[in-house]
Amino acid sequence: MSRADPETEGTARTARPAADTGPVTEPAGAGRAPSPLRTLGLLRSELSTTFRRWRTLALLAVLAAVPVLVGIAVRIQTGDGQQSGRGGGGGPAFLTQVTHNGLFLVFTALAATLPFFLPLAVGVVAGDAVAGEANAGTLRYLLVAPAGRTRLLVVKYATTTAFCLVATLVVALSALAVGALLFPLGDLMTISGTRITFADGLGRALLIALAVAVSLTGLAALGLFVSTLTNSGVAAMATTVGLLITVQITDQLPQLHAIQPYLFPHYWLSFADLMRDPVYWDDLVKNLQLQALYAAVFGSAAWARFTTKDVTA
Amino acid sequence: MAPYETDDSTRAEDADDLRAGPRRSARYVVPVAVVGVAAATIGLVPALADSGNPDLPKITAQQLIEKIAKSDVQQMSGTVKITTDLGLPNLGGLQNSMASAAPRGGSGSSADPSSKLMELASGTHTVRVATDGQDRQKLSLVESAAEYSLIHDGKDVWGYDSASDQVFHSTAAQDGGKRHDPAPATPKDFADQALKAAGDTTSVTVGGTAQVAGRDAYKLVVKPKQSGSTVGAVTIAVDAKTGMPLKFTLTPASGGAAVVDAGFTKISYARPAASTFRFTPPKGAKVTEEKDGAHGDHRHPKGAGPSSHGLLPGMPGEKGAKGGRKVIGKGWNSIAVLDTGSKGGTPSASGAKGLGGMLGSLGDPVSGKFGKGTVFSTRLINALMMNDGKIYVGAVTKDALVKAADTGH
């Protein structure tokens, strides 16, 4: 049996099942067309499994409820036409501008959910990705299918990333709907004090949603790595969320400012820089680089772990 | 593979991995390598970017000063990073309470420039500036998810604080449209102040070249000739082409990090978009109109205490311009004498008085011919508070303060 030069490269591995397991697994090999279509099929099945889970839907419903709550609260507080009296006070970013323009509810909702709700949901999905399958005893069956572990892992990560995007969009769209219902729309003012058209504002809102989704990809890779370490889905989720909270706290301690630029949530709020005019790209780019770094480090660590792991369940 | 008659590809793969024993752990090399590459990149890129001082034709200090004076940059925009490290004790909540108390004495708006720009007096800040001629300037303080903008458009001056959604409005002085800057924020503002000081007490030299914000620049080094000043040196990087000061660094005589470091990280001499300077207050936002007479006061934010005392209190040029207090000594060693017992009107005096009670433990008690007092030190400014209410403030050493107090009596 010719062992056609396995691994070394992702692409080589992807093509591998056809070359390698082909002759061994006789009957299952009937419709053995190599990768792209098969990977797509695997991805599709993963996506539908993930997004059909009640747990996932409940998470998305909670996320969709946040902008509704924020919108109603702001509306009630300013219902008598009065400016909210707490000048410069707390609350998430952009909160004071919501009354001028409903579009700002999108930014406020994202700023409110980004520190905790969104990453929590991502942590649950990412932590569950591999460990949950192992826990339910289905991981073995997934591996029986001639997909290859690397490909399975890539598909799992792609699914988690898709969830990041969907979760962010759910928050943004819910906020847009609530904002349109409760507050006026129209031309809006950037936080730099210049005016932009509503279409421009919508474009920026979309960019902001993308920036927020990208902000979560580092955490998604971290969660996936944790997920390959254990066979308990709950343990993986708890660890991921625990890590998230720890890192968030670390990011707040002034004594640790030397390491803070390297913590994955450090530049999360940089999405607000898209509302400056001209856009201030420095921190946005830093955030992008940092998330790519986390994805590369923990993605490859997850790969190293998962491809060498003894799967017993 | 023959022994494995099952069609279990998992097994096959595991066997594959087990056979190649060392490769199991070898895979962890990948994440480690990624971390290594990232660390190397973080370490090396700034070093590489820093390399190479540009070769520029020789120039004398006099020519360079003239270049700055002649510089007529009408249109530009850029990003300035300001780091101020006065070595003040960390006041934390106290500073905040003073900051929130300050507007109450002023116009009561968080968009008031005098209350906002004193934030520049400590820490690191990013400021974006844009200029289009004399009538249009914009200065924005970049904050986390918020921004404070000060816009000068024709005869209007707008302050907009996006965090609280408050607007401040005043009309610019009509004297030919020359704006009175509320606080020095750009390297040019700092440089102007420093060069005012250039007299017989100062040595001015050209200290090589540098790259600032991607532009070739000469470095002008200004040093006090007298001893006793806490100012070590002032370095100004001047754009070789336009004569525009790009970076200002004030290092203390005691060494260590710069007390004030303000420099462009990005600069463009293109004309900024006209919309940059247009401002209409959003509907429903609280607009505060400036009261008459509050105008000239911006340079000395109320309640800022010694820290934001014009940011560069040691500069003799500035000292001389002030009335209502006595100045002794000359050049860099000038010391301001305030009598809080009788007046207490000057902003810095009231600030220092407020501080005095609470910070008594932070000062060093001294005594001399003048009687007894307490010295409060920062890395740049020292203040001697005497028990009879007189305060000696200056960018001079503690000994020089005590000596001045002795001779004053």
Side-chain angles (χ1 to χ4, degrees), chain B residues 7 22-23 31 45 50 100 131 156 176 190 214 245 255 285 295 298 305 316 322 326 331 343 345 347 350 390 393:
Chain B
D7 59 353
R23 235 177 30 209
V45 166
D50 237 23
S100 61
T131 308
D156 292 317
F190 285 117
H295 209 265
H298 284 165
K322 277 174 206 149
K326 215 168 81 189
K343 265 184 76 197
S350 64
K390 264 192 187 165
V393 192

Side-chain angles (χ1 to χ4, degrees), chain A residues 1 3 6-7 13 16 20-21 24-27 83 87-88 93-94 96-97 100 140 143-146 148-149 189-195 262 269 272 276-280 282 293 296-297 300-301 303-305 307-311, chain B residues 1-2 4-11 13-14 16-19 23-24 27-28 30-31 34-35 38 42 79 126 128 138 142-147 149 151 160 162-166 266 275-276 278-286:
Chain A
M1 177 181 49
R3 170 137 310 196
E7 31 274 11
R13 263 190 80 75
R16 189 175 155 222
D20 182 28
T21 52
V24 184
T25 63
E26 344 79 61
Q83 173 71 16
F94 305 118
T96 47
Q97 281 100 331
H100 307 319
R140 218 176 137 79
L143 292 175
V144 167
R149 292 190 179 192
M189 193 155 99
T190 63
I191 53 176
S192 303
T194 57
R195 294 213 157 255
Y262 307 107
L269 268 186
R276 302 188 199 280
D277 190 27
V279 174
Y280 184 61
D282 294 22
L293 176 65
V297 170
S300 58
W303 168 78
R305 166 73 187 162
T307 52
T308 57
K309 177 184 180 182
D310 288 327
V311 175
Chain B
M1 207 57 118
Y4 296 95
E5 278 305 322
T6 58
D7 59 353
D8 187 345
S9 70
T10 310
R11 279 286 165 72
E13 209 168 289
D14 282 348
D16 174 16
D17 289 324
L18 287 174
R19 195 174 303 159
R23 235 177 30 209
R24 219 169 215 277
R27 293 195 171 172
Y28 286 100
V30 179
V34 173
V35 172
I42 291 165
T79 308
T126 306
R128 301 171 104 188
K138 180 168 178 175
V142 175
E143 300 161 340
S144 169
E147 192 163 320
S149 313
I151 302 164
Y160 176 62
S162 89
S164 61
D165 200 34
Q166 291 192 359
K266 270 194 200 99
S275 63
T276 311
R278 216 169 289 139
F279 183 84
T280 28
K283 261 176 250 152
K286 189 179 154 197

Side-chain angles (χ1 to χ4, degrees), chain A residues 109-309:
Chain A
L110 286 174
T113 50
L114 185 55
F116 197 71
F117 284 109
L118 274 173
L120 181 83
V122 170
V124 167
V125 171
D128 194 50
V130 175
E133 302 272 11
N135 202 22
T138 46
L139 185 57
R140 218 176 137 79
Y141 298 105
L142 272 177
L143 292 175
V144 167
R149 292 190 179 192
T150 305
R151 199 137 56 120
L152 182 63
L153 199 68
V154 168
V155 165
K156 287 282 186 193
Y157 186 60
T159 310
T160 316
T161 314
F163 178 78
C164 296
L165 186 62
V166 169
T168 312
L169 287 179
V170 162
V171 175
L173 290 177
S174 159
L176 186 61
V178 175
L181 273 176
L182 296 180
F183 305 103
L185 294 178
D187 287 5
L188 62 157
M189 193 155 99
T190 63
I191 53 176
S192 303
T194 57
R195 294 213 157 255
I196 55 173
T197 61
F198 185 67
D200 193 355
L202 268 184
R204 289 191 189 216
L206 187 67
L207 273 179
I208 281 176
L210 283 178
V212 170
V214 169
S215 296
L216 297 168
T217 53
L219 175 70
L222 178 63
L224 195 64
F225 172 58
V226 171
S227 188
T228 60
L229 294 178
T230 170
N231 281 340
S232 156
V234 177
M237 291 182 221
T239 310
T240 309
V241 174
L243 273 173
L244 166 76
I245 296 170
T246 313
V247 172
Q248 291 273 52
I249 292 171
T250 310
D251 200 29
Q252 299 302 320
L253 295 177
Q255 284 83 356
L256 297 173
H257 70 93
I259 59 160
Q260 282 170 357
Y262 307 107
L263 300 177
F264 63 88
H266 189 68
Y267 294 109
W268 274 1
L269 268 186
S270 67
F271 77 84
D273 291 347
L274 283 165
M275 275 311 288
R276 302 188 199 280
D277 190 27
V279 174
Y280 184 61
W281 291 104
D282 294 22
D283 286 355
L284 283 161
V285 171
K286 276 187 204 152
N287 185 34
L288 220 62
Q289 288 169 339
L290 195 63
Q291 300 307 328
L293 176 65
Y294 269 81
V297 170
F298 288 103
S300 58
W303 168 78
R305 166 73 187 162
F306 188 58
T307 52
T308 57
K309 177 184 180 182

Side-chain angles (χ1 to χ4, degrees), chain B residues 73-75 130-139 150-158 170-180 271 274 276-278:
Chain B
V73 176
Q74 293 288 332
Q75 288 155 356
T131 308
D132 182 5
Q134 291 218 316
D135 294 338
R136 289 165 157 203
Q137 288 104 18
K138 180 168 178 175
L139 190 151
L150 194 61
I151 302 164
H152 172 217
D153 182 14
K155 60 182 186 5
D156 292 317
V157 176
W158 295 98
S170 77
T171 42
Q174 302 297 320
D175 49 2
K178 178 72 186 154
R179 189 169 70 118
H180 180 68
R271 182 187 190 137
T276 311
F277 307 104
R278 216 169 289 139

Side-chain angles (χ1 to χ4, degrees), chain B residues 14-66:
Chain B
D14 282 348
D16 174 16
D17 289 324
L18 287 174
R19 195 174 303 159
R23 235 177 30 209
R24 219 169 215 277
S25 51
R27 293 195 171 172
Y28 286 100
V29 169
V30 179
V32 172
V34 173
V35 172
V37 168
T41 313
I42 291 165
L44 282 180
V45 166
L48 291 177
D50 237 23
S51 68
N53 290 339
D55 276 332
L56 293 170
K58 283 249 182 304
I59 189 169
T60 66
Q62 194 53 43
Q63 283 169 322
L64 194 52
I65 291 173
E66 277 166 20

